[in-house]
Amino acid sequence: MAVPGPSPTTTPEHRLTLGFGTDSRGQLLGDVTELLADRLASPLMEFPGGHLGALDHPVEFADALADTLLSNAHTSS
């Protein structure tokens, strides 16, 4: 059974940046996030660690999150 999803030409009304932990690369969560970002033509950000990256790597995670938020603030309309 096929799972319905957005068409490749559908773009979100608002800017959306998807993110996942580097430990999820090659796993279901990482693969789904990459596929969704590709289908929505949205930026994809990798954060340090896995599901608890903010706890396991607080400084690196905060730096990556700040970079992502600042980048989006400069490119949003």
Side-chain angles (χ1 to χ4, degrees):
M1 178 168 98
V3 177
S7 71
T9 58
T10 301
T11 55
E13 182 178 331
H14 303 286
R15 182 177 175 95
L16 175 69
T17 298
L18 297 169
F20 67 97
T22 55
D23 291 352
S24 297
R25 180 169 287 289
Q27 298 179 12
L28 181 62
L29 181 58
D31 293 345
V32 169
T33 305
E34 288 186 84
L35 176 66
L36 184 60
D38 184 59
R39 291 187 96 184
L40 295 175
S42 293
L44 179 63
M45 180 65 194
E46 287 189 49
F47 292 92
H51 185 71
L52 299 175
L55 297 176
D56 296 335
H57 309 281
V59 174
E60 297 88 350
F61 187 92
D63 288 344
L65 181 59
D67 289 345
T68 301
L69 295 173
L70 290 172
S71 173
N72 286 341
H74 295 301
T75 58
S76 295
S77 52

